[in-house]
Every structure is written in structure tokens, then in C-alpha cells.
Amino acid sequence: MHESPPVASVAPDRPWRILLTNVTLAGRTGTETATRALAIGLLAAGHTPMVYAPTLGAIADDLRAAGIPVVDRLDALPKTPDIIHGHHHVETVAALLTFPAAAAVFVCHDRSAVASAPPLIDRIQRYVAVDFNCLERLTADYGIPTALTTVIPNAIEMDRFRPRGPLPPHPRRAAIFSNYAQQGTHLEPTQQACGRLGLPLDVLGSGVGNEQAAPELVLGAYDLVFAKARCAIEAMAVGCAVVLCDATGLGPMVTSANVDDLRWWNFGRRTLRAPLDVHAIVAAVRGYDADDAREVSSVVRHTAGLGSAVNSYLAVYRAALSNPLAVRGFEQDVRDYATRAVQHLSAVEAALAEYRRPFRMEALTDDECAKVRIRILKSPVTVNAAATLRVETEVRNGLTTSLGTFPPYPVDLSYRWLDAATGEPLVAEGARTSLPSIAAGEDCERAMQIAAPTQPGIYRLRIALVQEGLRWLDYLQPPVADEVTVSVVIPADSRPA
């Protein structure tokens, strides 16, 4: 079975002092366990991680036992950091203002939580999203340039989550693994579904008073686990079959056919698109396949190990340090932050004003999306690297209502650059092109300005619709998208003589 690669293939000139900030370390939520894992991984890679959170608890004790300083006051840090790795808005800004000479990186872990809103301040040299959903928050909601962003999916300590023995042909024992499972959530329909199947079900999580400090010790006792995001990754790493499910909805059984796509969405909220229906949960459980679950576990153990994530973060740190800003002092940092915050608030106010207009864009169902079409009318087949190309498109609205870039769920045009051979996304998402109000049954032609990749090669350019805050429509079947092959070349005047 594949294991994750070792840490630290990106070697700095000297060990870095890295300050991780988090809103709390008093529980065992996703960002708290992510902070713990990354700090331990950075320490193993030869660096000096430190952690700041205003509220401390058991994870803080774990980190201190590993020799990592943890403080609830920034003035108590034993050393001045070279790099600030921020997980939440207020705590990140506090660290920036306290340490004006440090480079900074911000990581967005949640699409909608207020605490995870990215600070807009020039001191932050790079922004990281844990999945495509959070990337949309950075680029679409906050206008952060794509060139300053990257996606680093969640990772776990594979040496903790050891593989269990082979799964039985049919599941004998199941668990809900979620801190959000409690009365009035996905708990009841999942219990009813498992009851119909005669499948014993346990619940692991703080919502029912059964918080798991060491889930790696208990997950292997279950054949099937209902979970999302980090909990799902941990269960798959152990070797359990996983149905994506949580309080916000139901997703699919993770299979060898869909695991790669689902990982880029962190097995999270955007994958939970079906209602919490008992019949649908029963159908998902009946998709259990012990052999396929073993393949899924192999993929996850190969791609979601902590070593890969540490290497990726070290590369991001190096990029942030390679373009340092001059130390500007407290007052200049505050002025920069306040100016950018006011600009963003003004944009939010303008967006809210759209609610007073006669147009409104509701969430589209899968059936409604199938009635919308995109066609590329004209596109260059060859373009210079890093150039801007003009692509003419047509959007056909087969709905009985208008379609357009209007709140609360605006529909925009966007694009991806894909590897021509493998289909892997090389540029996961591009800038948005807004749509006017397209009446029911009407077509609309729209020109897009698209940035070409910086490296020469043969690419597939995919044009797709995005319903902001919800999903990219090219993930549907059939996809609401169109593609063209484009050859990206080095400009003639840049070629060696």
C-alpha cells in the first residue's frame, strides 16, 4: 500500500521560525487538528514552529509535550517569527501587527465562516485554500489575484492512522464520525437508514458527548463511516468505506472513480449536494464495495499524507520570503489594513444593494443546470505564453426564468486550463466574466479575456459556468462547459537566437 513521501524536500537556507495562529485550541475541530498536524510536521522537517491561540486546551498540551511552544498571548512567544501562518482573521491580523518584519501566509479553511475571512493586507504574500470551495472565497468573494493563491488539501499523519485489516464483503458495523451529529441533523435519517439495513451504528463526536481524542484507535473497528472533510480522510486512510454525509447534506460513497475529484473539494460541504433522505442514504450504503474501498484507501494514503502538505507549505513560505516587503511599522500596517477593509466593505454594500433590483438568481438544481448550454464561438488555437487571449462564447438559457450575475447566487463565466493529455487542472480556475440578464429561452454572446499559462505546451481550455457560493457546473453530468485545444508557445522575440 502506498505511503506519503517524507517531509522537507524543499530545504531553506536555515531553519525557519514559523508562527501558526488559530482561533482556538480548546477543542478538536478541523483547524485545531490541522494546526497540530502541521506544527508536528514542520518540527520533524527541522523548523521551529510556534502556535498562538487565545484559548488553549488539550491540543495545546499535545503540542507542548512534543516540544512546540504554544501561547495565548503574542508577547509570550519565545522567539520572533520569520513567517506568520494564519488560519483565522483576527488572530492573523494581531500577529501581523505584533511582528512587522515577518512574512505572512493566510490559509482559508472555510467558505462561509466569519472567522475564516481572509485579511486584505499587503503583508500577506500568499493565500492558501484547502479546497476549490475555499479558493472561490479568496478569488471570487475577496478579489485576491489568482497568482497569489494555491490549493493545498488537508493532510493527516499517516503513521497515526494505520491501515486496518481487510473489510468484510458486507458491512457489519458503521459509525457517524462528526462533531456536528446531534438531534435535528443528519443523525436521525442515518440512524433510520442503518436500522432498515440491520446495520449497527455508533456515533463518534462531541455533539453527542463522545469526542474522540485519538480517532486512529477506534476507526478501524468500523467497516463503514459517515463523515466529511478531515474526518472522512482519516476514516479512508484507515481503510473504512466512507459515505460523505454531515448536517448540511448527503454526498456519494467515495470510490476509486471519484476520489481524485472529491479530494480537490476536500470531501467537504460542496460534495454534500443531496438532501438527507433515508432512501438515498440506504442507496449510498448499498454501494459498499470492500475491494474498491481498499483502492480508495491506497489513493488517500498516497496523496493525503502530512509529508506532501509540509513540502507544499515550505514552498509557499519560500515564495512569501522571496518577495519581502520593507518593514513599515504598526501605523502603516494598520492604515493598509483599514484601507483594504473599507474597500471590501464598499464592495459588499454594493452587492447588497443588488437585492433591491428586480433581478434575483436562485440556486439551480441539477435538472435546471442541464437546460443551460455553453458554446465556444471563436478562440485562437495558438497563443504566446502569459498573453491574454480573447474567447467569444455563447450561453443558451433553456430555463423558464432569467439567468445572470445576480445575488444571492450569481452565475458567472470562468475557465480552467487542463493538461491536454491527462485532463488534470493546471490552472484550477480563472477570472470571472459576468453575465447580463439572459431571458428564458434566449441566447447571449459574451467575450472573455483569458490569461494564458506561463509555460509552453498543449492545453485544453475549458469554459464553464460557476454559480458563486455553490459549485462549478462543469462537475455535473453532462458538464455545463465547452473546451478547445490551445497551443501555448514562447514568444518569437523571447526565443534564443
Side-chain angles (χ1 to χ4, degrees), residues 3-21:
E3 298 292 340
S4 58
V7 296
S9 64
V10 181
D13 298 329
R14 63 171 176 80
W16 292 323
R17 299 183 297 271
I18 304 161
L19 173 62
L20 291 87
T21 74

Side-chain angles (χ1 to χ4, degrees), residues 180-189 191 208 246-248 276:
Y180 302 102
Q182 54 187 310
Q183 188 174 6
T185 65
H186 58 305
L187 176 59
E188 290 93 339
Q191 288 174 326
V208 294
D246 207 76
T248 55
L276 292 165

Side-chain angles (χ1 to χ4, degrees), residues 202-231:
D202 293 337
V203 185
L204 312 176
S206 59
V208 294
N210 190 22
E211 185 175 64
Q212 297 297 310
E216 67 274 16
L217 301 181
V218 300
L219 285 171
Y222 299 98
D223 307 319
L224 177 70
V225 174
F226 298 90
K228 73 171 177 65
R230 189 178 192 86
C231 292

Side-chain angles (χ1 to χ4, degrees), residues 80-139:
T80 300
D82 301 307
I83 302 161
I84 295 167
H85 173 122
H87 280 171
H88 295 100
H89 188 110
V90 172
E91 291 70 27
T92 301
V93 172
L96 288 168
L97 297 180
T98 303
F99 303 107
V105 170
F106 182 80
V107 183
C108 181
H109 282 267
D110 191 282
R111 176 61 191 259
S112 58
V114 173
S116 294
L120 298 176
I121 182 169
D122 288 341
R123 285 273 307 288
I124 300 176
Q125 294 287 290
R126 291 294 186 275
Y127 291 84
V128 177
V130 299
D131 65 3
F132 286 163
N133 194 22
C134 292
L135 181 64
E136 289 176 13
R137 184 174 199 182
L138 297 177
T139 58

Side-chain angles (χ1 to χ4, degrees), residues 315-391:
V316 171
Y317 299 157
R318 182 174 289 281
L321 287 164
S322 68
N323 186 31
L325 292 171
V327 177
R328 297 176 301 166
F330 180 86
E331 291 185 0
Q332 288 177 304
D333 277 338
V334 169
R335 188 180 306 115
D336 175 33
Y337 174 69
T339 299
R340 300 281 296 279
V342 168
Q343 290 171 343
H344 180 70
L345 285 173
S346 297
V348 171
E349 288 292 339
L352 289 174
E354 294 289 331
Y355 280 96
R356 293 189 286 270
R357 297 180 59 179
F359 305 112
R360 183 177 175 87
M361 193 70 242
E362 299 292 353
L364 297 174
T365 66
D366 288 1
D367 288 341
E368 289 174 324
C369 291
K371 298 176 182 178
V372 180
R373 294 285 184 270
I374 295 178
R375 188 160 61 101
I376 297 174
L377 300 177
K378 185 177 181 182
S379 171
V381 295
T382 303
V383 64
N384 288 337
T388 299
L389 59 154
R390 177 186 171 94
V391 176

Side-chain angles (χ1 to χ4, degrees), residues 20-37:
L20 291 87
T21 74
N22 213 67
V23 69
T24 180
L25 287 180
R28 294 190 181 273
T29 62
T31 58
E32 289 168 285
T33 53
T35 299
R36 176 192 181 279

Side-chain angles (χ1 to χ4, degrees), residues 41-61:
L42 290 169
L43 181 66
H47 299 280
T48 304
M50 304 173 286
V51 182
Y52 160 68
T55 309
L56 305 180
I59 285 185
D61 296 336

